[in-house]
């Protein structure tokens, strides 16, 4: 076990232990729910203004990751639906996630693109 050190001046820390980079672009912060000990690194983009995003405990969102809710077709209309990211999830640098659900204990590699309405099961590995 190797401790990870970081510059505390570059992150905001919430009362539940989430660490969010000051350079992360968070839209619709009232609809983004990190549940505890979540790390959102530099230049990550989270689009909570479109629909809700829930991020489970101990998840890490690496640099330059884009997360936005998926688009679902409802009758003749297109509508954004919420995105749920499980616990103990690592989303690699430069990835784009538009999934409806990412399960627990999932690792998404660098520069991966997860398309609309995808559902990634628990204990999965998505290779770059």
């Amino acid at each position: 076990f190797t401790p990870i050190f970081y510059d505390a001046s570059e992150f905001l820390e919430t009362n539940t232990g989430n660490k969010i980079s000051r350079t992360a672009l968070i839209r619709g912060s009232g609809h983004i729910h990190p549940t505890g000990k979540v790390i959102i690194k530099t230049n990550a983009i989270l689009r909570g203004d479109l629909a809700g995003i829930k991020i489970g405990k101990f998840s890490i969102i690496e640099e330059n990751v884009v997360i936005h809710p998926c688009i679902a077709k409802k009758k003749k209309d297109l509508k954004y639906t919420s995105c749920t990211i499980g616990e103990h999830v690592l989303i690699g640098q430069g990835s784009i996630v538009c999934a409806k659900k990412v399960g627990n204990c999932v690792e998404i590699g660098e520069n991966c693109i997860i398309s609309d309405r995808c559902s990634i099961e628990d204990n999965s590995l998505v290779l770059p």
Side-chain angles (χ1 to χ4, degrees):
F1 173 72
T2 305
I4 299 173
F5 298 102
Y6 67 97
D7 185 359
S9 67
E10 293 181 14
F11 289 85
L12 300 170
E13 187 166 354
T14 67
N15 57 356
T16 55
N18 301 308
K19 292 175 180 59
I20 302 171
S21 170
R22 293 180 187 274
T23 62
L25 181 62
I26 309 290
R27 294 285 184 245
S29 59
H31 299 287
I32 298 173
H33 305 286
T35 56
K37 305 287 187 186
V38 172
I39 299 172
I40 300 173
K41 293 188 176 181
T42 58
N43 299 321
I45 299 172
L46 280 75
R47 295 295 309 269
D49 57 336
L50 303 172
I53 299 173
K54 181 181 177 201
I55 305 171
K57 293 180 183 178
F58 308 109
S59 293
I60 300 173
I61 312 299
E62 291 283 350
E63 292 90 356
N64 303 312
V65 168
V66 177
I67 298 175
H68 68 80
C70 67
I71 299 173
K73 188 173 182 181
K74 305 272 181 160
K75 296 184 182 177
K76 293 184 179 182
D77 295 332
L78 294 177
K79 187 175 183 178
Y80 285 98
T81 59
S82 63
C83 173
T84 303
I85 297 173
E87 297 181 356
H88 302 278
V89 172
L90 173 64
I91 300 177
Q93 184 175 357
S95 292
I96 300 171
V97 178
C98 307
K100 178 150 182 67
K101 178 183 178 249
V102 176
N104 296 320
C105 302
V106 171
E107 182 177 343
I108 298 173
E110 292 183 1
N111 300 313
C112 291
I113 298 174
I114 310 298
S115 299
D116 283 328
R117 299 184 303 269
C118 283
S119 181
I120 300 174
E121 297 297 322
D122 292 348
N123 305 310
S124 296
L125 173 64
V126 180
L127 298 174

